[in-house]
Amino acid sequence: MGNTSSMLTQYDIEEVQQHCNNAFSQQEIVSLYERFCQLDRNGGGFVSGEEFLSVPEFAVNPLSQRLLRMLDGLNFKEFVAFLSAFSPRATVQQKIEFIFKVYDSDGNGKVIFNDMLDVLHDLTGQFISEQQREVDLILEMPLFTDCKQVLTKVLEEAGYNKESLLVMSDFVKILGSSGLKMEVEVPVD
Amino acid sequence: MSSGKGGELIPSSSELDLDRPNIEDYLPSGSSIHEPLGKLRLCDLLDISPTLTEAAGAIVDDSFTRCFKSNPPEPWNWNVYLFPLWCCGVVIRYLILFPVRVIVLTVGWIIFLSCFIPVHLLLKGHDKLQKNMERALVELICSFFVASWTGVINYHGPRPSMRPKQVFVANHTSMIDFIILEQMSSFAVIMQKHPGWVGLLQSTILESVGCIWFNRTEAKDRETVTKKLREHSQGVDNNPLLIFPEGTCVNNQYSVMFKKGAFELGCTICPIAIKYNKIFVDAFWNSRKQSFTMHLLQLMTSWAVVCDVWYLEPQNLRPDETPIEFAERVRDIISVRAGLKKVPWDGYLKYSRPSPKHRERKQQSFAESVLRRLEEN
């Protein structure tokens, strides 16, 4: 009949809620479970990269590949924990932790210059070096040829350099003051 | 009849992807960095939260998947009084209605085949007579099909008159759309070639009303099909074409983008809106979940198939309109009439990935904002 919450017991819901530190209400967890089952078309208990990419809105996102590395193979409990950073009940600390994890692709707790460069490349595609040449002609500014120099300049102005290893506390210092808006609404029937 | 709310005509500019209008007009804004101009700082570069929020939003709910979700009606048999009633209903539907319907359908097929086969074989020489008889017979078997689901169809609007250079377009929910429309007036249809018994029907009987086949998976197919469409629409004696520009079955609550092929033929477009009443049965054919046979069986074991068909005012390409704008305008007319929500996605994304152009547009706007702010002092 399609009433999938019957497959999720009250005990399961509470366990998931605990695992995500109460980031979502029980109703939201039920909705997320329906969504998870909808995405997990072959019923394997986890949503594969292909299944995520079949959502066009996700596939066109510049950071989709990075997120897929974090999402691949997660079961439902871990899926909810992944999304918990986007709950309105999540703290700014938790959101910054999530952003840190996106940058720190090897998971060693340190973000290096290349990590930040990779993300900048994902976000700008091929559009930075070409644009730069145009700006040069008009404004006669110093020549930046690519993301590396943009990133280096901005890092140095913030008091870091190319060799700096950023850790979680650095991220908190850098991002903590800007109003971080990172929330999604889970549709509840 | 009013032609909808006039639609927001999407401005064509040289930037636009030639195949489809601007998706950014539909997607939630606030996603790209609409920051007030100010010097670029490290926190601006590291703050990827808008992009991440978009991605998480798509994971949690997205307008594309919603179009193909079957929405079964709410279970109402949940208490001790209603449950026995529901059981009686099941018994009646499966043990009384279903056999009667199967009999009706079988009778219909017998009559049809015993008339169609002789006509097809014997009247080989008399083209016009043969054509007319075969068309009438196809209309007959469609009526039998509709009767086998206890179809209650309300037709609104003037029945289309058969003129040349006229093409009909409708929203698509299931293959039965064709049967419902064919029952009233003979159409030639363009369809995906299916395997199994449906394919057999397609190649034998539907040939007589004039059908065009396509294959989604073949890349070059589009050109051949467009050519065939053009030839058919110019032909005087052919049945008018019925095209489902969405290209795939959608769940009758949303409409996906119309393909422009039908709108480039230089013909008058007659829109048809079809809306099924979900109280009786959910007529959406979710081809990923059900075969067509199962879908028909489901229809035959429901109470009825109730739907409304509106024949809407014929539209022509306006002098300042591109075919894509024309297609969107007609989609608007049909969606308003049938109460469908419009989504900006191409139905074929069911089978393939979106084009990289959309991602590139996002990247371009982000890159421009970074560079602009870099130059700020």
Side-chain angles (χ1 to χ4, degrees):
Chain A
M1 251 207 254
N3 193 8
T4 51
S5 65
S6 60
M7 291 193 263
L8 202 63
T9 66
Q10 181 63 25
Y11 178 71
D12 292 328
I13 298 177
E14 284 171 7
E15 197 190 324
V16 171
Q17 202 176 26
Q18 209 175 21
H19 188 80
C20 70
N21 288 322
N22 285 313
F24 295 110
S25 72
Q26 301 206 348
Q27 269 186 314
E28 287 171 331
I29 291 179
V30 171
S31 286
L32 284 174
Y33 187 68
E34 276 177 24
R35 176 66 174 178
F36 187 81
C37 293
Q38 192 186 54
L39 291 172
D40 178 19
R41 250 177 267 140
N42 64 357
F46 64 94
V47 185
S48 69
E50 272 302 302
E51 286 165 338
F52 275 115
L53 288 176
S54 70
V55 176
E57 239 172 274
F58 181 79
V60 303
N61 192 289
L63 292 176
S64 54
Q65 289 302 324
R66 275 195 162 243
L67 289 171
L68 274 182
R69 254 176 274 157
M70 297 164 76
L71 279 167
D72 204 14
L74 294 184
N75 63 22
F76 177 61
K77 206 164 68 171
E78 294 159 349
F79 175 73
V80 175
F82 175 89
L83 289 174
S84 58
F86 295 91
S87 151
R89 298 183 194 86
T91 62
V92 174
Q93 176 84 7
Q94 286 170 317
K95 294 183 200 283
I96 298 179
E97 260 173 38
F98 185 88
I99 296 181
F100 188 83
K101 270 193 238 146
V102 174
Y103 275 95
D104 182 20
S105 43
D106 53 9
N108 61 0
K110 304 198 231 323
V111 169
I112 60 173
F113 183 79
N114 279 336
D115 291 330
M116 292 185 276
L117 193 62
D118 284 341
V119 173
L120 194 56
H121 272 310
D122 284 340
L123 289 175
T124 56
Q126 82 253 53
F127 290 99
I128 270 207
S129 18
E130 287 169 353
Q131 288 287 87
Q132 267 303 19
R133 277 182 230 121
E134 288 173 42
V135 172
D136 287 338
L137 293 171
I138 297 168
L139 296 175
E140 294 167 1
M141 297 295 273
L143 251 179
F144 294 110
T145 51
D146 57 21
C147 288
K148 245 189 226 171
Q149 301 194 313
V150 173
L151 188 58
T152 315
K153 175 176 190 263
V154 175
L155 268 176
E156 280 166 5
E157 281 173 5
Y160 297 96
N161 59 51
K162 269 185 78 170
E163 276 77 48
S164 300
L165 293 169
L166 278 82
V167 291
M168 188 54 206
S169 52
D170 291 307
F171 264 66
V172 173
K173 196 167 52 160
I174 298 166
L175 295 171
S177 44
S178 61
L180 209 61
K181 273 213 173 65
M182 207 165 90
E183 273 172 29
V184 291
E185 199 192 311
V186 177
V188 171
D189 303 313
Chain B
M1 172 123 205
S2 73
S3 55
K5 52 183 177 18
E8 278 95 35
L9 286 186
I10 292 140
S12 40
S13 79
S14 51
E15 271 182 28
L16 280 182
D17 182 3
L18 289 173
D19 268 353
R20 43 192 74 94
N22 201 359
I23 280 192
E24 264 62 48
D25 287 341
Y26 291 87
L27 284 180
S29 60
S31 48
S32 37
I33 298 188
H34 294 309
E35 306 245 332
L37 286 179
K39 193 159 193 291
L40 189 73
R41 295 157 299 164
L42 185 59
C43 63
D44 301 313
L45 267 194
L46 288 184
D47 183 6
I48 49 175
S49 60
T51 314
L52 290 180
T53 311
E54 255 182 22
I59 293 175
V60 162
D61 188 23
D62 77 293
S63 54
F64 185 70
T65 317
R66 260 184 265 146
C67 294
F68 304 102
K69 200 170 145 196
S70 321
N71 296 309
E74 288 291 306
W76 55 272
N77 55 358
W78 39 266
N79 74 14
V80 77
Y81 302 107
L82 297 178
F83 191 69
L85 200 62
W86 179 75
C87 285
C88 287
V90 172
V91 164
I92 297 177
R93 278 189 287 136
Y94 280 80
L95 298 181
I96 302 177
L97 284 183
F98 182 62
V100 169
R101 287 170 174 171
V102 171
I103 294 173
V104 164
L105 197 57
T106 318
V107 165
W109 273 105
I110 295 174
I111 297 179
F112 174 75
L113 286 172
S114 56
C115 295
F116 189 82
I117 294 178
V119 165
H120 195 68
L121 296 175
L122 299 176
L123 286 183
K124 269 279 155 62
H126 313 265
D127 267 350
K128 192 139 175 111
L129 183 62
Q130 179 189 21
K131 257 198 187 165
N132 287 334
M133 289 203 70
E134 285 181 351
R135 280 178 202 179
L137 283 173
V138 173
E139 278 183 43
L140 181 73
I141 188 65
C142 287
S143 307
F144 268 101
F145 261 112
V146 171
S148 77
W149 316 312
T150 315
V152 178
I153 305 169
N154 301 312
Y155 295 94
H156 310 267
R159 233 172 90 165
S161 40
M162 294 306 137
R163 277 192 284 244
K165 298 222 133 210
Q166 204 172 239
V167 167
F168 290 83
V169 303
N171 57 311
H172 200 27
T173 305
S174 159
M175 284 225 283
I176 68 174
D177 291 336
F178 168 67
I179 297 177
I180 285 173
L181 294 176
E182 184 78 18
Q183 190 201 208
M184 272 304 259
S185 31
S186 214
F187 290 108
V189 78
I190 160 171
M191 289 174 100
Q192 164 86 26
K193 201 69 192 277
H194 279 85
W197 63 271
V198 181
L200 184 64
L201 284 188
Q202 287 177 323
S203 22
T204 48
I205 294 163
L206 292 182
E207 280 295 328
S208 63
V209 289
C211 291
I212 298 175
W213 313 118
F214 68 84
N215 202 336
R216 261 180 217 128
T217 48
E218 265 170 54
K220 271 260 161 177
D221 203 54
R222 224 173 118 185
E223 286 167 38
T224 356
V225 168
T226 322
K227 210 168 68 112
K228 286 191 211 171
L229 283 178
R230 204 178 285 271
E231 277 168 17
H232 187 107
S233 57
Q234 314 287 11
V236 176
D237 204 29
N238 291 328
N239 275 340
L241 267 173
L242 173 63
I243 300 181
F244 297 107
E246 287 173 311
T248 188
C249 291
V250 186
N251 71 358
N252 209 228
Q253 289 183 298
Y254 295 89
S255 69
V256 296
M257 302 238 282
F258 278 12
K259 300 200 175 309
K260 63 179 175 163
F263 301 88
E264 302 179 304
L265 298 172
C267 299
T268 311
I269 301 287
C270 306
I272 301 178
I274 308 176
K275 182 77 171 178
Y276 292 90
N277 189 330
K278 265 222 301 272
I279 298 178
F280 295 94
V281 75
D282 182 11
F284 168 49
W285 178 37
N286 194 340
S287 51
R288 285 192 277 205
K289 287 219 176 112
Q290 275 179 327
S291 69
F292 190 58
T293 319
M294 285 309 300
H295 176 61
L296 276 188
L297 287 177
Q298 188 198 342
L299 291 177
M300 286 172 79
T301 53
S302 314
W303 289 108
V305 172
V306 178
C307 72
D308 286 287
V309 174
W310 290 275
Y311 294 102
L312 302 169
E313 191 185 327
Q315 304 290 324
N316 280 300
L317 184 71
R318 292 189 187 144
D320 53 346
E321 240 181 3
T322 67
I324 299 177
E325 290 168 351
F326 185 32
E328 278 295 290
R329 183 164 63 88
V330 172
R331 176 160 89 115
D332 200 46
I333 294 172
I334 293 181
S335 304
V336 166
R337 181 68 270 184
L340 306 172
K341 299 189 203 103
K342 290 164 44 171
V343 298
W345 302 107
D346 177 347
Y348 277 11
L349 287 173
K350 244 190 192 173
Y351 311 100
S352 65
R353 298 270 167 271
S355 134
K357 291 194 186 77
H358 303 304
R359 180 187 302 201
E360 282 170 14
R361 222 174 278 144
K362 285 177 195 278
Q363 290 172 326
Q364 184 173 23
S365 92
F366 181 74
E368 281 171 5
S369 135
V370 164
L371 293 170
R372 215 181 315 134
R373 299 180 59 189
L374 201 56
E375 309 308 332
E376 289 283 314
N377 265 316

